[in-house]
């Protein structure tokens, strides 16, 4: 009798967990995206008018000097600044480089080689997760057109730059400016860091879809993230504690947001740090009091339906 | 009221049955979740295409060919590096200097090193192989790091298999005028072979399932099938981790579950092979 | 043929014997050398750090942020993260594990045992990234519905998934210990009219106690050393707190996140090696305890 | 070869043999002569060093580290303890059968052909140029192996019981059969001396009787040295008996005389079982 009971119990268990697995559907309610106001001017949404949106930042690629004409890295940079390259920038949810910046970059590209060690084989590029999707699209298209393979890994901007300095990769992709301490250690490893602005990313501020707040000033944002404000009622929302989400110190967004919004002050230690944008979206989406900053592409990807109608509404 | 001795016993026995049921429940729930969510994504293309970006750039379309091949290549390299050193090292330490006093302490440390966290091995991997020996971020750096990680496990399992052989067989062979190596070759190794192979399979499946060392030693987002051991590579466990942080979550999570199911099936095959080998090994040499 | 030669000159065999011993010896020494390499490498890379930052504020600092403008080197948040997750995990795993062990070795009949034992071993073979996936996508939502914590990914989430990972290791080692208890001990107890539970409680468990303690130590050692599952389950906020519903960062997760970002040879790099050394020492001590308890125990039942 | 009476050729002369395990002095100044084609029994209480002495004769004690040996053991006049003697060659000439039957977990056939295969067949070849005799070692052919198997099994009185299941596993045999297989296996290396370390202690009386008959029969071709704690066995089969006590050779002589008129008081006590 015992064994049949056990066997029967196991079958019930399997059926139960199957049903449970089916019904815990992976729901993605999505998040709201706030409009940000700089001082007393109008507030802009990162989705509609990225140019005027106050928290936008350039996205960079750093190389060891200007690559030689015949090198694959040269063709890679040339491709990025070509129309196809900048077209993909929109697909990935960023916005392309302005014409005068593009000309400046092209001039730098042809300003004579400073590093002819770059071969014409495979290119290795490492760094920011924000740039992950964009550079994957580029790499995929570049492979079709130039038949050169670009190998990417995205541990975060800081790591990308470190890999460049240590000589593990040909190029680093970063969502923040290179730091002085990094420039210094680059000099020690005689790496002549060259900066290429490749796109612009608006850092969208996301909240839970039921959060009544629609826009914040940069000043409010600063007080929230430094921990001065701890309750949504202080900015006119529900009486609910604010739960801070942000990127970890390896990411460029962490440094850029700290400089641009917090004016260099340090984050509140309550801020929960994540290694990727999508994890922040998953957090804010499930936490009424949550607030986070992510690349605009990720915000667009998970915009809650209610916020989407409202967007096209007015 | 004092439960009678009979009821006390019954109560505790049901408690123990409950614990066992709980353990089985954990296993079933996790496996069923992976199967239910992952089975749908496993198609022929899923297994034969490399990860491709969708229109917004997230690597959620295409399949998991390069991660699968990457994991198998890793296991192949680990087999070539760790197994010879581990097995023959253990044979030497057991057969040639087994009876010395210090060998007991030495085996205690080797046994201890089997418990060293994989992230500490990854630290070593970055410092020594990626940087110091300048293999850079590559398949070989990851393979050597994984080999170091499983070396103690291979040595301990080989030692146990060798020591399972009664010394009377060793004496018999030596008594017939066989040299030490002839005795090992003809009598010790053949009879302990399936025990050693079981240990090898289990440690290979452990190496194949590890992710932490890969993070630091050269796993790449869109790496295709590595052509040389110095190329960067993709691996199944990293693909699963990567999919949990992809931007297009609605498509990424099913791919993660699909890859998890493939990884579990791979691990199950290896564990079952090891289990059948071990049971056959027990019948064949009952002394 | 009466040529009795006690010294048959067989040079071929002697060279073969010598050669093979040489090769095997090389492998033996090489394997031991490699294993010593770990310890030496950890020490040489963390000594400069301890010299410049000093042991005091490493062990007393309550903030860990090596990449901030002025780096903060307090290892306490990481230490508490690891201890919190592993300790709560152990509290969950040990009773269930022990109950399951007793069922497996004393109550289950042979057919059930033949299926359940390999199943548990397979549970031990499942890669940790799959546990992490389950914790990140499913377990965290369940915890959120039950406890409604302010952090979706928190220490409890990590502890539960670690408990699930610890149980198979604990069960397989302690089950062997309970099986090794000689039959005549059981019969002696039955002979005195003890019920099966009293026999288990007063004869079998005490006799197998060292094995059980060793299995718990091994399981905790594995939990402390686990990386991927906790990286995906605990949210990795490096704050110094003992509240299991907040997000914590364990030492292993800190290494996985920070090491790739540290420039080789920089102070951050050495600081992370210091954390690696501390982790190595903790797991080494735990395993040593398990080994000593186990080997002393094996002598009694040789 | 004259037995018992008259002078015989001594096969093994042991002179002042001393042996230590670490600091324990196990064998003290043992001097004994073992005669060719005779059965010499070694008796004594357990722990008196009789097995250790036996294992010195084919240097099996070399396997145990930290053993110190002094004195001489001459086999056909050659001291086997000198280090230019390769113990491997020595063991080809001095076979050993152990207490617990330990056949290899292989077939009966495999058990016996293992030694001939690794040692190969030695032949004297006339070197055409120099005309000098030279030992050549070659792999035995299948037929030669079959012959060896048949010869050894017949010699060990096991052939009729196993001749039709040679490739069956040795473990399917009974205890007594396994021990006789080990004896057959030992004979496959054509030794001159066979050492028996309490060969029957693990066997039932019937199997023991078969082994004892076999021992007596082996005396025709081999010098046999047997360690036993079974005094009746010694009395039944042994030509000479040596009595060891606490590492010392107390008394040694023809079995009949030793059992009937022991010279030493200690021997007498041991034989009559009154020893403490």
């Amino acid at each position: 009798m015992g064994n049949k009971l056990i066997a029967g119990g196991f079958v019930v268990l399997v059926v139960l967990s199957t049903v449970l697995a089916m019904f815990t559907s992976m729901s993605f309610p999505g998040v709201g995206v706030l409009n940000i106001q700089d001082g007393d001017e109008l507030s802009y949404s990162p989705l509609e008018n990225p140019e005027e949106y106050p928290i936008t930042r350039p996205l960079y690629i750093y190389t060891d000097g200007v690559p030689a004409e015949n090198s694959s890295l040269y063709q890679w940079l040339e491709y990025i600044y070509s129309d196809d390259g900048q077209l993909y920038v929109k697909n990935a949810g960023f916005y392309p480089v302005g014409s005068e910046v593009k000309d400046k970059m092209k001039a730098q590209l042809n300003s004579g080689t400073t590093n002819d060690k770059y071969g014409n084989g495979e290119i290795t590029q490492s760094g920011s997760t924000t740039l992950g999707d964009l550079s994957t699209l580029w790499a995929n298209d570049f492979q079709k057109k130039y038949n050169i393979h670009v190998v990417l890994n995205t541990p975060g901007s800081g790591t990308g730059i470190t890999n460049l300095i240590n000589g593990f990769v040909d190029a680093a992709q970063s969502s923040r400016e290179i730091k002085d301490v990094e420039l210094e250690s680059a000099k020690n490893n005689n790496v002549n860091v060259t900066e290429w602005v490749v796109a612009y990313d608006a850092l969208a501020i996301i909240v839970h879809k039921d959060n009544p707040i629609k826009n914040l000033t940069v000043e409010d944002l600063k007080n929230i993230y430094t921990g001065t404000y701890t309750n949504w009622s202080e900015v006119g929302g529900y009486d609910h504690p604010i739960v801070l989400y942000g990127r970890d110190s390896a990411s460029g967004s962490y440094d850029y947001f700290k400089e641009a919004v917090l004016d260099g002050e340090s984050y509140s230690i309550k801020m929960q740090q994540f290694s990727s944008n999508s994890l922040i979206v998953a957090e804010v989406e499930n936490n009424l009091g949550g607030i986070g900053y992510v690349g605009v592409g990720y915000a667009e990807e998970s915009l809650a339906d209610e916020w989407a109608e409202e967007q096209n509404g007015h | 009221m004092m439960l009678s001795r009979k009821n006390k016993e019954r109560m505790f026995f049901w408690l123990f049955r409950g614990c066992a049921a709980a353990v089985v429940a954990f296993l079933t729930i996790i496996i069923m979740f992976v199967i239910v969510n992952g089975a749908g994504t496993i198609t022929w293309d899923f297994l034969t295409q490399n990860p491709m970006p969708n229109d917004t750039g997230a690597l959620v379309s295409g399949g998991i060919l390069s991660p699968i091949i990457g994991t198998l290549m890793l296991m192949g390299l680990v087999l070539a590096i760790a197994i010879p050193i581990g097995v023959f090292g253990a044979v030497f330490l057991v057969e040639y200097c087994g009876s010395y006093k210090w060998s007991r302490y030495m085996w205690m440390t080797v046994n201890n090193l089997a418990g060293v966290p994989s992230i500490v091995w990854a630290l070593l991997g970055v410092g020594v192989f990626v940087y110091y020996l300048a293999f850079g971020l590559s398949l070989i750096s990851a393979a050597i790091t994984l080999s170091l990680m499983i070396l103690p496990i291979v040595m301990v399992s080989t030692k146990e298999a060798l020591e399972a052989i009664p010394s009377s067989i060793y004496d018999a062979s030596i008594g017939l005028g066989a040299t030490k190596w002839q005795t090992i070759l003809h009598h010790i190794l053949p009879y302990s072979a399936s025990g050693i192979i079981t240990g090898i399979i289990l440690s290979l499946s452990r190496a194949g399932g590890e992710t932490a060392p890969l993070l630091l030693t050269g796993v790449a987002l869109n790496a295709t099938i590595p052509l040389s051991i110095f190329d960067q590579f993709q691996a199944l466990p990293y693909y699963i981790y990567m999919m949990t942080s992809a931007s297009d979550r609605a498509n990424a999570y099913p791919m993660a579950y699909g890859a998890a199911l493939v990884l579990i099936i791979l691990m199950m095959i290896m564990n079952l092979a090891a289990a059948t080998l071990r049971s056959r090994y027990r019948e064949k040499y009952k002394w | 043929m009466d040529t009795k030669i006690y010294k048959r000159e067989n040079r071929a065999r002697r060279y073969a014997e010598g050669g093979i011993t040489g090769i095997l010896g090389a492998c033996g020494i090489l394997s031991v050398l490699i294993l010593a390499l770990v310890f030496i490498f950890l020490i040489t890379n963390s000594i400069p750090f301890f010299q410049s930052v000093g042991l005091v504020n490493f062990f007393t600092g309550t903030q860990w942020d090596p990449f901030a403008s002025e780096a903060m080197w307090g290892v306490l948040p990481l230490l508490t993260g690891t201890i919190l997750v592993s300790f709560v995990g152990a509290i969950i795993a040990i009773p269930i594990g022990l109950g399951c062990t007793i069922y497996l070795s004393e109550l289950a009949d042979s057919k059930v045992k033949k299926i359940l034992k390999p199943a548990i071993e397979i549970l031990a073979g499942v890669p940790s990234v799959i546990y992490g996936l389950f914790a990140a996508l499913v377990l965290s939502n369940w915890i959120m519905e039950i406890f409604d914590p302010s952090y979706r990914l928190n220490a409890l989430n990590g502890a539960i998934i670690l408990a699930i990972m610890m149980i198979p290791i604990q069960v397989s080692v302690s089950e062997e210990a309970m099986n090794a208890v000689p039959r005549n001990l059981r019969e002696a107890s039955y002979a005195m009219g003890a019920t099966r539970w009293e026999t288990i409680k007063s004869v079998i468990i005490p006799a197998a106690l060292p094995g059980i303690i060793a299995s718990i130590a091994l399981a905790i050692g594995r939990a402390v050393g686990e990386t991927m599952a906790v990286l995906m389950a605990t949210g990795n906020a490096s704050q110094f707190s003992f509240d299991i519903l907040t997000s914590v960062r364990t030492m292993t997760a800190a290494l996985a996140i920070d090491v790739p970002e540290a420039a080789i040879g920089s102070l951050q790099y050495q600081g992370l090696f210091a954390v690696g050394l501390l982790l190595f020492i903790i797991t080494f001590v735990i395993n040593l305890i398990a080994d000593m308890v186990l080997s002393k125990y094996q002598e009694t039942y040789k | 070869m004259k037995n018992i009476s008259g002078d015989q050729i001594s096969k093994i002369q042991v002179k002042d043999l001393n042996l230590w395990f670490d600091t324990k002095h196990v064998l003290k100044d043992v001097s004994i002569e073992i005669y060719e084609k005779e059965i010499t029994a070694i008796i004594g209480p357990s722990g008196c060093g009789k097995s250790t002495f036996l294992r010195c004769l084919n240097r099996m004690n070399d396997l145990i580290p930290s053993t110190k040996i002094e004195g001489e053991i001459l086999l056909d006049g050659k001291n086997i303890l000198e280090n230019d003697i390769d113990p491997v060659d020595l063991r080809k000439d001095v076979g050993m059968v152990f207490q617990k039957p330990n056949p290899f977990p292989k077939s009966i056939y495999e058990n016996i052909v293992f030694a001939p295969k690794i040692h190969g067949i030695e032949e004297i070849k006339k070197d055409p140029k120099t005309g000098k005799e030279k030992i050549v070692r070659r792999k035995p052919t299948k037929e030669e192996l079959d012959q060896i198997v048949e010869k050894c099994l017949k010699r060990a009185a096991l052939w009729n019981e196993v001749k039709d299941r040679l490739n069956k596993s040795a473990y399917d045999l009974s205890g007594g059969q396994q021990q006789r297989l080990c004896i057959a296996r030992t004979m496959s290396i054509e030794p001159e001396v066979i050492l028996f370390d309490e060969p029957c202690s693990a066997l039932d009386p019937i199997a023991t009787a078969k082994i004892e008959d076999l021992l007596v029969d082996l005396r025709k071709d081999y010098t046999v040295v047997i360690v036993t704690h079974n005094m009746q066995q010694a009395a039944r089969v042994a030509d000479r008996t040596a009595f060891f006590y606490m590492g010392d050779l107390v008394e040694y002589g023809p079995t009949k005389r030793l059992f009937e008129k022991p010279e030493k008081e200690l021997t007498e006590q041991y034989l009559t079982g009154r020893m403490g």
Side-chain angles (χ1 to χ4, degrees), chain A:
Chain A
M1 185 284 293
N3 289 1
K4 282 201 201 52
L5 186 72
I6 292 168
F10 181 69
V11 166
V12 166
L13 183 67
V14 169
V15 167
L16 263 180
S17 30
T18 318
V19 166
L20 192 66
M22 284 178 194
F23 285 104
T24 36
S25 63
M26 286 184 275
S27 63
F28 302 107
V31 289
V33 178
L34 300 184
N35 301 342
I36 301 298
Q37 197 180 338
D38 194 357
D40 47 16
E41 283 150 20
L42 283 168
S43 68
Y44 297 101
S45 150
L47 304 173
E48 275 118 42
N49 20 47
E51 283 85 2
E52 294 87 4
Y53 183 71
I55 326 172
T56 54
R57 52 175 177 174
L59 300 177
Y60 307 92
I61 284 183
Y62 290 101
T63 59
D64 179 0
V66 178
E69 216 107 319
N70 51 25
S71 74
S72 43
L73 193 58
Y74 180 91
Q75 288 166 352
W76 169 242
L77 290 169
E78 198 180 34
Y79 163 78
I80 287 174
Y81 290 112
S82 70
D83 301 341
D84 304 346
Q86 291 303 311
L87 182 66
Y88 279 112
V89 168
K90 281 206 192 60
N91 290 9
F94 305 115
Y95 66 87
V97 180
S99 53
E100 61 327 304
V101 170
K102 191 189 284 184
D103 302 343
K104 186 159 150 292
M105 289 299 132
K106 282 193 174 160
Q108 178 177 296
L109 188 57
N110 306 323
S111 63
T113 317
T114 57
N115 173 0
D116 47 22
K117 285 203 298 312
Y118 283 119
N120 37 36
E122 196 182 64
I123 300 170
T124 50
Q125 183 166 311
S126 162
S128 154
T129 46
T130 313
L131 262 155
D133 292 358
L134 176 54
S135 36
T136 315
L137 280 173
W138 278 339
N140 192 38
D141 190 37
F142 187 68
Q143 167 91 27
K144 288 200 194 88
K145 294 201 168 72
Y146 294 78
N147 195 11
I148 297 171
H149 187 44
V150 178
V151 183
L152 300 163
N153 67 43
T154 56
S157 306
T159 314
I161 292 171
T162 310
N163 284 338
L164 179 71
I165 296 168
N166 296 335
F168 295 158
V169 290
D170 303 333
Q173 59 187 33
S174 168
S175 54
R176 62 152 167 88
E177 283 250 273
I178 188 164
K179 295 181 191 154
D180 306 341
V181 69
E182 285 161 339
L183 275 174
E184 213 199 305
S185 53
K187 242 196 256 77
N188 310 352
N189 293 18
N190 50 56
V191 167
N192 158 20
V193 174
T194 315
E195 184 178 274
W196 310 88
V197 177
V198 291
Y200 285 91
D201 168 33
L203 213 51
I205 304 302
I206 55 171
V207 290
H208 189 271
K209 67 181 173 59
D210 304 336
N211 192 326
I213 301 286
K214 290 294 175 268
N215 65 59
L216 286 173
T217 66
V218 174
E219 193 53 32
D220 299 338
L221 212 51
K222 179 181 173 190
N223 292 328
I224 289 174
Y225 266 91
T226 51
T228 329
Y229 291 164
T230 56
N231 192 299
W232 280 104
S233 53
E234 289 166 276
V235 282
Y238 292 136
D239 171 12
H240 191 290
I242 299 173
V243 181
L244 297 174
Y245 296 108
R247 294 294 308 285
D248 58 30
S249 43
S251 79
S253 331
Y254 173 94
D255 299 300
Y256 171 77
F257 190 85
K258 192 170 171 181
E259 293 315 321
V261 176
L262 308 187
D263 306 331
E265 286 176 39
S266 56
Y267 287 98
S268 140
I269 57 158
K270 286 244 179 326
M271 183 179 87
Q272 224 187 120
Q273 299 181 357
F274 285 93
S275 58
S276 82
N277 291 292
S278 67
L279 285 174
I280 296 176
V281 171
E283 286 302 312
V284 170
E285 174 181 65
N286 291 301
N287 195 327
L288 189 56
I291 180 169
Y293 57 85
V294 291
V296 71
Y298 288 85
E300 206 168 0
E301 188 83 44
S302 318
L303 191 61
D305 311 339
E306 303 87 339
W307 286 71
E309 293 119 23
E310 218 189 299
Q311 217 68 5
N312 345 353
H314 60 79

Side-chain angles (χ1 to χ4, degrees), chain D residues 188-250:
Chain D
S188 68
I189 53 173
E190 293 154 7
E192 287 154 36
V193 176
I194 300 183
L195 312 175
F196 289 85
D197 185 358
E198 293 179 45
C200 307
S201 67
L203 302 181
D204 58 68
I206 304 149
T208 306
K210 278 206 186 110
I211 301 281
E212 285 175 5
D213 302 343
L214 181 56
L215 283 177
V216 172
D217 178 40
L218 288 180
R219 220 169 45 150
K220 296 196 213 67
D221 307 328
Y222 307 96
T223 306
V224 172
V225 183
I226 176 166
V227 159
T228 178
H229 55 268
N230 177 338
M231 282 182 280
Q232 290 76 11
Q233 183 171 64
R236 274 198 299 271
V237 296
D239 301 312
R240 289 171 194 279
T241 303
F243 171 53
F244 272 73
Y245 183 72
M246 303 293 281
D248 294 314
L249 172 56
V250 175

